[in-house]
Amino acid sequence: MKKIFLLATFLMSFLQMRADEGMWLLMLIKRLNHVDMQKEGLHLTPEEIYSVNHSSLKDAIIQFGGGCTAEVVSDQGLVFTNHHCGYGSIAALSTPEKDYLTNGFWAANNQEEIPAPGLSVRFLVRMDNVSDRINAKLNNKMSPEEREKIIETEYKAIKTENSENGKYTVVVKDFFNGNEFYYFVYQDYKDVRLVGTPPNSLGKFGGDTDNWEWPRHTADFSVFRIYADATGNPAEYSASNTPLKPKHSLPVSLKGYQPDSYTMIVGFPGRTNRYLTSYGIQQMVYRDYPAWVQASKTAMDVMKKYMDKDQATKLNYASQYASVANYWKNRQGTIDAVLKNGTIEDKIEVEKKYLQWANTAANKDPYSGVLEQIDEYYKYVSNRNVERNYSSQLQRNAKYLGVAYTLGSLLKTYAEQDEAGKTEMKPKILANIDRIYEKFNINLEGEMLNSMVGLYKQKVDKSVTSPTLAAVDAKNVSNVAFSSIFATKASALAFVNSPDVAKIDSDPLKKIIDGYIADQKAVAEKYDSADERFQDNTRLFLNGLMKSQPEKSFYPDANSTMRLTYGKVRTLPERADRKYYGISEKDNYYTDVRGMVAKYKKGDEEFDLPQKFLDLMAKKDYGKYADPKTGQLQVNFLSDNDITGGNSGSPIMDGDGNLLGLAFDGNSEALSGDIIFDPEWQRTINVDVRFVLWVIEKYGNANHLINELKLVQ
């Protein structure tokens, strides 16, 4: 009976949802959203959006590289995504002699397209609801351990039942904090090749200064192609592979958009916490995120110091720096937005009403006391959570520790082998050493290790500090690394040529990482039971919250599964300090190339522009890509779609499923959006596909790519 009530609440809340809020599961569109979407401007049927047996919109949307979204735009497997999504692969393929990141790249034909090692894309084949199956075996009297064991058993069975002997990847996810469950069947393609990218000065125009800000003026796109074997199935890279023939590709619209034009975005949003309690938000903005911000900034400063000195280092660390900088600004912006928007106070009011409901006789079991236990949990784990943030940035940025951990385990196993075993392992070992040290700046990494360990020791509470790191001299830990087997490629190769188990066991850097990992495990074990109870309490809290507010709209948080969000093109409220570069405040839903030229600063790392681009701007040769209403080449535009990280590169489409542009960012005023949706301020920033095509054709001279597309005039 409880499950039936939950589902009814879920359906009713879907039907009451605002068009611009919510990230919807595609298989539920027909039952829950389609009528509303039609009223807003959708012309597709539910089956044209999501179908298992026929081609549909979902078949053109892919998860790109595990952390972004992309879309297939031709019947030859051509893919559009954001420049910042392709950034890591572009940087990895670049050298000072062939600097694709700085200068751009356009393949003239398939033979010139460059394989991107390690890059893969993922298609959704189908999904289904297994909530009844799993919940039938669960009850609220179970311990967290019992519950987890049953869920894990069902997960394994569902994966086995649907993988078709390994043909597909099957992922089972919980929704509503563990109240519902769905599985997703994917097909992964691993031969993905770089086709084209604008130079960094266009693809990342505005840099960190403009990131998360409006107005934006950036060509945030890159172009890749998916390759398959002769049967159209996934295959490792091979020269004999051919471009994928997709089930569906998106037509590309040249018609543009107007205020209130219907828009929808389909992609893989990463993570939201819309049902986080006030206690969780306070921990986040007062303790967790400040730690993240400080640790990120420390790492950025070290990288920047060495990147400014040397072009090779700049290329080698470009992707890491960009990623750290993006989250650094996001986390600080989230802190500012939460405090400015009164998010905590809003949550407290919601919780007051919940407590009134939970403390009535009818609802005490099992909901009374749950919120209070969540409050106690955050008090208990507060220092541990801060340590996690400093620790995560230490692990992410101090590469010497990671090298000693991963390569150290391999080298020890290698040293323990007999001669035949060593001979068999050696090629793998050498390949790993080449990969690890290929783009490794020793001096940068030494200073990074000192700085990050020093910050950790200074900021982390002694009750949760790693004893191993506490005993390290932070000013000289780099000297430990430099005296290690893992100091350089040469020292690692010397060990391979003369392996010695005792030597690796006594290596000073490996001792540090081994001790640190053991310390991390000990802390995790200390808090295991508290974390399990917390998961149980958050599940019960959300279950009760939904029951206590049947008039309120509830939808599942993002969790890296395919979602659709729909809304409209929309301006932002006026702000005194905005400069619109020739566009009136009432029309601030778009920007055009006049703004790029106005922002141009010769030689500036963030606002320089290529001379070729400036020459084309002087001629105003916009071709068929100028907007028919404004006569301008529009660059970026705003919509009120509900997105988050992971949606980068997602297609923003019109009511016919034609591509209008690529979602790539949000605005600073709504950086609290992962916690609460603010309909007044929340916006998606998109790159206009007409600007994308103009860059490809007019700037990149790659008209053959335009010819692949189905253009809608």
Side-chain angles (χ1 to χ4, degrees), residues 250-311:
L250 298 184
V252 179
S253 175
L254 298 182
K255 296 187 291 186
Y257 41 82
Q258 301 295 329
D260 296 326
S261 293
Y262 175 86
T263 59
M264 60 183 174
I265 292 174
V266 179
F268 291 84
R271 178 65 63 182
T272 56
N273 284 292
R274 295 276 170 84
Y275 308 111
L276 192 63
T277 63
S278 63
Y279 314 114
I281 298 173
Q282 289 179 75
Q283 173 70 26
M284 176 188 291
V285 300
Y286 291 119
R287 303 220 63 201
D288 294 350
Y289 278 11
W292 184 301
V293 168
Q294 186 176 32
S296 297
K297 187 63 168 61
T298 299
M300 288 164 58
D301 289 345
V302 174
M303 283 187 278
K304 190 74 164 56
K305 173 181 173 181
Y306 289 89
M307 290 168 72
D308 286 346
K309 294 178 181 179
D310 175 60
Q311 182 64 12

Side-chain angles (χ1 to χ4, degrees), residues 73 85 138 221 227 304 415 426 460 462 589 628 653 662 704:
V73 292
C85 292
L138 304 173
F221 79 94
Y227 281 74
K304 190 74 164 56
K426 193 170 185 178
V460 173
K462 288 182 174 57
Y589 63 91
M653 296 164 284
L662 285 65
H704 62 287

Side-chain angles (χ1 to χ4, degrees), residues 133-134 138 144-160 172 181:
R133 169 177 173 169
I134 295 177
L138 304 173
E145 295 87 349
E146 291 171 325
R147 181 181 181 87
E148 182 61 32
K149 185 176 181 180
I150 290 171
I151 291 173
E152 185 59 34
T153 298
E154 289 302 307
Y155 277 17
K156 289 180 180 178
I158 291 166
K159 290 176 182 179
T160 301
V172 191
F181 304 88

